[in-house]
Amino acid sequence: MTKTRIMIALVVLLAGLKSNGQEALFGGQEIVSPEINKDKSVTFRLLAPAADSVFITGDFLPTTKMKTPMGEMDAPGKKLLSKNGEGLWTYTTEPLASELYNYSFIVDGMTVRDPNNPFVIRDVSSLTNIFIIGGGKADNYKVNDVPHGTVAKRWYDSPGLGMDRRITIYTPPGYEDSKEEYPVLYLLHGAGGDEEAWMDLGRTSQIIDNLIAEGKAQPMIIAMPNGNVTQDAAPGMGSDGFYKPVFMAPKTMDGTYEANFMDIIKFVENNYRVKANKENRAIAGLSMGGFHSFHISRYYPNTFDYVGLFSAAIMPREDATGEVYNNINETLEQQYKNGLELYYIAIGKTDFLYKANQDLKKQLDEIGMPYEYVETDGGHIWRNWRIYLTDFAPKLFK
Amino acid sequence: MTKTRIMIALVVLLAGLKSNGQEALFGGQEIVSPEINKDKSVTFRLLAPAADSVFITGDFLPTTKMKTPMGEMDAPGKKLLSKNGEGLWTYTTEPLASELYNYSFIVDGMTVRDPNNPFVIRDVSSLTNIFIIGGGKADNYKVNDVPHGTVAKRWYDSPGLGMDRRITIYTPPGYEDSKEEYPVLYLLHGAGGDEEAWMDLGRTSQIIDNLIAEGKAQPMIIAMPNGNVTQDAAPGMGSDGFYKPVFMAPKTMDGTYEANFMDIIKFVENNYRVKANKENRAIAGLSMGGFHSFHISRYYPNTFDYVGLFSAAIMPREDATGEVYNNINETLEQQYKNGLELYYIAIGKTDFLYKANQDLKKQLDEIGMPYEYVETDGGHIWRNWRIYLTDFAPKLFK
């Protein structure tokens, strides 16, 4: 085959794939969606000539109210796209504030991904498309032209849980070329999450790379373990293979994880150049991970100088029997007496755990334990957890 | 809030989200799809009451023929699902051979993902669902209960390209706890790929973990760089942010990448415990990565003892001007004279590059350069590249 024939072959192959095989398989379309316009409005497009209705739903639309036995709660809004003569559906938003947003289309009642946007994040068993509006706080969620840390997926031995388990480890820019020792933040996910969640949904490596580059956060190692004690790894990444993930894995809030957390600390401190002392350990988590952080930090009351509770569940379920959950007040008091640099509580005004966190504040007030309290708009959502991480990380290891 | 009230709140929140908000946003359905049956047939299900037709397309269906100016080529087959009274569409395959398969649904003409299967892989700009049928060669593509290597996403400085670039590095089980030095395989992706491709589409860490555990492959480091010289990282992972990826990035086959490949080798050899000599360096790649491997290995003719060309493009395009592409025969002869342990060529019988690879064999025969030649069924597809990697890796560093 001559050079020219190979060139022709390549072009023809691509054309063929686009118009026939791969086009059908992949569903790609020669249109751009989403398109971020100059005024920061966003245009969405979907080619669906056979559809009777195409809606978009996403967290940038005004929420609607849904009734529940607990009262009204927020549900994502939706908007109808308009269809042109070629069957191209279009919708343009208002100008949007800087944020990482997610969305889906609803075509004749069925929720589908945007075939022109390959960027998705998995939350529990579902994928949604994402996009970022820059020019504000979401600039911290972008990969900017700054030094980048390394993100490793490693397996460690957990003797307590009797298995090798997968963990995500962020080491800061320069770690490999230095002889320095670093502080460590243990960053825990919520129910339905795993060792991928803080990286994929939380944009942790981007946030920390950017904060370090801006001189706002100390270079630190971040350990993101899997908090579901029956899993060795995230769905699809472990020996359970591919299966449909569920929101609440068994045994995730029965004390087993907290009681075996030292396996994780031991692994990190034996395998990385860390400052292995209380002054250089932080623990934080969202929702169930906030619950884990609350209980781990008082169960090992002389281990962490920094604790972050992001939209945290607090009190154990009534069926929880783990000894971790005994003597809550006593261990909290012990933790306080041992000394703490920062006890950080953050919650959204509409979070279903708002009241639980107000109760925690009262409990801490009663034992005279100081804390920093941050209240934001919004509820139990990743948008808030990225904000809390961006606010919390600069306060560490100063 | 009491413990009981929190439990109720959680349950209600979840129920509320499932039935209203998240259900609409995420599109999850309380059905299982795909379901792998005992006889290794697979049942697919989609709830789409408003749809007039639902087809499935995937690489497990008999291909159909499509006409192109080059002759007939294979296109994925499709099958109509059957609809029941509740609007649930179902299709069950024949029993399937062990393989990693991909598929999509086509609902009223629009290609969509399976909302009940969160496992997808991205190929260029498109996502397809995947599943694995075990009990044969695809057992090597699974995460088995064996020791696992570490997969790191790192950034290295490329002075030649004038930027920091992202690279995927696999280190074998035990690397971190040993003082040993390891051999290195440089594993290159094809057009449309990037530093994620061999991990996500190629199942490289699973294949190598399993081959090492079975005693079939030597423990080795695998460096998977990004071969698109205008990118610092895979789409969405670099400073270009989120955009719709294209099949052929600019300047990917003009010699720039090959001429700067020593930046990558230098980074790996300065940052990992490697045996930094020819006997312990291998280079292999698929399609464009096979092209790169062909040219890099003869342009630096005393660098690699093992070369793998998987469905490789061979000859440069007529508009390629890089000095890398001068003196092809002379550098090949020099490479041969310098000594080689393995020159491995693998191609599928229906690959559009089949003839080009036969021409290469003739060229090598003419200069008396020995090679190992593997011919498989099928064409220019990932299924073959996983097979070639599984076959090639055990031959290295023996």
Side-chain angles (χ1 to χ4, degrees), chain B residues 236-249:
Chain B
M237 299 295 178
S239 51
D240 292 336
F242 297 158
Y243 60 95
K244 191 172 179 179
V246 295
F247 182 80
M248 189 71 92

Side-chain angles (χ1 to χ4, degrees), chain A residues 266-284:
Chain A
K266 201 174 146 189
F267 164 74
V268 171
E269 298 190 347
N270 286 343
N271 281 273
Y272 292 86
R273 288 194 321 278
V274 305
K275 294 175 179 162
N277 56 43
K278 182 163 173 271
E279 292 72 33
N280 289 288
R281 284 192 210 103
I283 189 166

Side-chain angles (χ1 to χ4, degrees), chain A residues 155 164 232 237, chain B residues 143-150 170-174 205 209:
Chain A
W155 292 73
D164 283 358
D232 59 354
M237 299 295 179
Chain B
V143 179
N144 294 318
D145 190 14
V146 299
H148 301 293
T150 297
Y170 168 89
T171 48
S205 68
D209 278 354

Side-chain angles (χ1 to χ4, degrees), chain A residues 1 4 13 20 24-26 29 31 66 73 104 111 116 119 150-151 153-154 243-244 318 355 359, chain B residues 1 4 13 20 24-25 29 31 66 73 104 111 116 119 150-151 153-154 243-244 318 355 359:
Chain A
M1 203 182 265
T4 310
L13 176 84
N20 294 278
L25 180 62
F26 291 148
Q29 301 173 342
I31 52 181
M66 62 178 181
M73 291 182 62
S104 297
T111 305
N116 291 290
F119 302 106
T150 297
V151 178
K153 309 288 179 175
R154 268 184 82 167
Y243 60 94
K244 191 171 178 177
E318 290 201 328
K355 172 77 169 49
D359 291 347
Chain B
M1 203 182 264
T4 311
L13 175 84
N20 294 278
L25 181 61
Q29 301 173 343
I31 53 181
M66 61 178 181
M73 292 183 61
S104 297
T111 304
N116 291 291
F119 303 106
T150 297
V151 177
K153 309 287 179 175
R154 267 185 81 167
Y243 60 95
K244 191 172 179 179
E318 292 201 327
K355 172 77 169 50
D359 290 347

Side-chain angles (χ1 to χ4, degrees), chain B residues 124-158:
Chain B
V124 195
S125 67
S126 300
L127 302 175
T128 49
N129 287 109
I130 56 171
F131 64 96
I132 291 178
I133 299 289
K137 70 171 183 295
D139 285 342
N140 270 327
Y141 311 157
K142 291 186 169 183
V143 179
N144 294 318
D145 190 14
V146 299
H148 301 293
T150 297
V151 177
K153 309 287 179 175
R154 267 185 81 167
W155 293 73
Y156 69 97
D157 178 27
S158 175

